[in-house]
């Protein structure tokens, strides 16, 4: 099987933790163990979030007033290198002899996407209300409530395509474990002359991961985070975990737009697209020597806790979405 594993930014740096390099390293070490448990049996492509990290880089950039603050696309590239380096190194430690490569990845978006006028993507640390109001007033940021605190939100345009897809595909075909599309990829737009330029945004990692998984013909997409499953009525007394469902039975709009909503949307998009293209995907994979699952229901999308990656793939943990059961 070919499995795309999307590591959430909050799985790599938990909400209550300071953005210390040593803490991130320890979290990445644990994440690598979970990925390695899957990679020992399957081909794997790893993507990752960067919300906490790119937010920290933005704050550090603002602190040096001799130059203009760096734009979000450049900060995204920096975070791809930093996080990818840690993941690649720890996976190499867990999978001796396995080739691992981190690839700087650009994701094309539409420069006229309405999302540029309606920021929704959380980045950076959490703030108390008073500090959030000060940042909004002094820096012109948009801040929204995230739990009982506040975080900065930035535009999150829809990913259209991944420029480095042919390279990723080539590496996968040669059994390289690829780390790519960090933070959803570096957001870029292409002008009328074909020139590529960065844009001030953050692409949602789960939406980009679903696009990547579909384009690679993956059998499964795992979105791993710091919660055990998708819950109906999250945070309320009657909250209930969803274990097995289909795209027709779950509505992404019922979940938080800045966190679980994009994961559910990405899962449903991948499952629907994979189901329609399953016959073609199987024939392509057969020619490449990649085994495909024989279980009914087609491609699988799973959402759940990082430590449970292998169990989610087996349908024993988290929330698993397929076209049919």
């Amino acid at each position: 099987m070919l499995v795309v594993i999307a590591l959430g930014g909050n799985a790599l740096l938990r909400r209550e933790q300071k953005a210390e390099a040593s803490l991130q390293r320890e979290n990445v070490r644990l994440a690598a163990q979970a990925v390695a448990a899957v990679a020992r049996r399957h081909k794997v492509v790893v993507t990752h979030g960067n919300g906490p990290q790119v937010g920290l880089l933005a704050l550090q950039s603002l602190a040096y007033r001799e130059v203009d603050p760096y734009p979000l696309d450049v900060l995204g590239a920096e975070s791809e290198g930093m996080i990818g380096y840690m993941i690649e190194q720890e996976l190499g430690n867990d999978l001796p002899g396995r080739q691992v490569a981190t690839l700087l990845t650009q994701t094309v978006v539409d420069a006229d996407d309405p999302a540029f006028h309606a920021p929704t993507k959380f980045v950076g640390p959490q703030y108390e209300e008073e500090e959030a109001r000060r940042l909004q007033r002094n820096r012109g940021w948009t801040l929204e409530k995230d739990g009982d605190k506040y975080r900065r939100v930035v535009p999150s345009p829809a990913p259209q395509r991944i420029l480095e897809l042919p390279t990723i595909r080539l590496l996968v075909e040669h059994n390289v474990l690829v780390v790519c599309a960090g933070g959803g990829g570096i957001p870029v737009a292409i002008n009328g002359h074909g020139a590529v330029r960065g844009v001030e945004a953050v692409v949602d990692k789960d939406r980009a991961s679903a696009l990547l998984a579909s384009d690679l013909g993956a059998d499964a997409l795992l979105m791993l985070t710091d919660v055990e499953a998708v819950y109906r009525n999250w945070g309320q007394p009657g909250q209930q975990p969803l274990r097995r469902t289909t795209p027709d039975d779950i509505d992404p709009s019922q979940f938080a737009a800045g966190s679980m909503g994009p994961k559910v949307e990405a899962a449903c998009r991948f499952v629907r697209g994979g189901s329609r293209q399953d016959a073609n995907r199987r024939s392509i994979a057969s020619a490449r020597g990649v085994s495909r699952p024989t279980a009914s229901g087609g491609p699988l999308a799973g959402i759940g806790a990082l430590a449970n990656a292998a169990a989610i793939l087996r349908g024993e943990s988290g929330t698993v979405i397929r076209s049919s059961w």
Side-chain angles (χ1 to χ4, degrees), residues 59-129:
L59 288 172
Q60 291 174 336
S61 177
L62 284 169
Y64 184 61
R65 299 183 179 181
E66 298 300 317
V67 299
D68 291 335
Y70 279 27
L72 284 172
D73 62 303
V74 174
L75 299 181
E78 290 182 15
S79 70
E80 270 199 327
M82 175 181 69
I83 301 170
Y85 155 69
M86 292 184 180
I87 294 173
E88 179 178 332
Q89 193 173 78
E90 293 300 332
L91 283 173
N93 291 336
D94 282 329
L95 299 166
R98 183 76 170 269
Q99 295 299 308
V100 184
T102 299
L103 184 65
L104 206 63
T105 314
Q106 300 172 90
T107 301
V108 178
V109 302
D110 184 350
D112 295 322
D113 192 309
F116 284 104
H117 304 290
T120 58
K121 184 66 176 173
F122 286 118
V123 298
Q126 291 181 311
Y127 302 99
E128 299 293 345
E129 183 174 0

Side-chain angles (χ1 to χ4, degrees), residues 8-20 24 49-62 72 75-76 79 82-83 120-128 131-132 135 139 141-147 149-155 183 201-202 226 258-259:
N10 289 323
L12 300 176
L13 185 66
R14 292 189 287 275
R15 299 172 192 272
E16 73 279 4
Q17 290 181 323
K18 292 183 178 180
E20 299 283 355
Q24 294 186 67
N50 70 344
Q53 293 82 4
V54 81
L56 174 63
L57 290 172
L59 288 172
Q60 291 174 336
S61 177
L62 284 169
L72 284 172
L75 299 181
S79 70
M82 175 181 69
I83 301 170
T120 58
K121 184 66 176 173
F122 286 118
V123 298
Q126 291 181 311
Y127 302 99
E128 299 293 345
E131 176 69 2
L135 289 168
R139 294 179 177 169
W141 289 358
T142 301
L143 291 103
E144 300 288 349
K145 219 167 184 186
D146 181 25
K149 296 185 180 180
Y150 290 80
R151 290 178 73 192
R152 182 186 178 190
V153 290
V154 300
V202 171
D226 57 352
S259 54

Side-chain angles (χ1 to χ4, degrees), residues 295-312:
S296 62
L300 172 156
I303 302 172
L306 176 64
N308 300 334
I312 296 169

Side-chain angles (χ1 to χ4, degrees), residues 115-286:
F116 284 104
H117 304 290
T120 58
K121 184 66 176 173
F122 286 118
V123 298
Q126 291 181 311
Y127 302 99
E128 299 293 345
E129 183 174 0
E130 183 177 347
E131 176 69 2
R133 293 186 184 281
R134 186 185 68 79
L135 289 168
Q136 190 161 329
R137 182 173 60 251
N138 293 346
R139 294 179 177 169
W141 289 358
T142 301
L143 291 103
E144 300 288 349
K145 219 167 184 186
D146 181 25
D148 59 351
K149 296 185 180 180
Y150 290 80
R151 290 178 73 192
R152 182 186 178 190
V153 290
V154 300
S156 183
Q160 296 184 325
R161 62 188 177 97
I162 293 169
L163 288 184
E164 288 74 19
L165 180 66
T167 305
I168 297 168
R169 184 179 288 123
L170 180 65
L171 290 169
V172 170
E173 289 173 356
H174 285 80
N175 205 35
V176 177
L177 196 164
V178 185
V179 182
C180 61
I186 303 160
V188 299
I190 301 177
N191 67 20
H193 302 288
V196 178
R197 293 288 184 269
V199 295
E200 187 73 356
V202 171
V203 179
D204 182 80
K205 171 261 306 172
D206 296 310
R207 289 174 175 146
S209 299
L211 175 65
L212 175 65
S214 294
D215 287 347
L216 289 175
D219 304 291
L221 169 63
L222 302 184
M223 288 171 281
L224 306 179
T225 183
D226 57 352
V227 295
E228 195 267 339
V230 178
Y231 284 80
R232 291 199 188 277
N233 303 315
W234 170 254
Q236 301 177 30
Q239 69 178 29
Q240 292 182 328
L242 291 171
R243 294 303 179 188
R244 291 185 174 188
T245 187
T246 70
D248 292 333
D249 294 327
I250 188 169
D251 181 359
S253 67
Q254 294 180 352
F255 303 92
S259 54
M260 192 56 75
K263 288 180 170 55
V264 173
E265 178 196 346
C268 293
R269 186 184 298 271
F270 168 69
V271 169
R272 283 195 174 106
S275 298
R276 288 193 297 268
Q277 302 170 23
D278 195 49
N280 184 50
R281 291 165 61 248
R282 287 176 185 273
S283 65
I284 293 173
S286 177

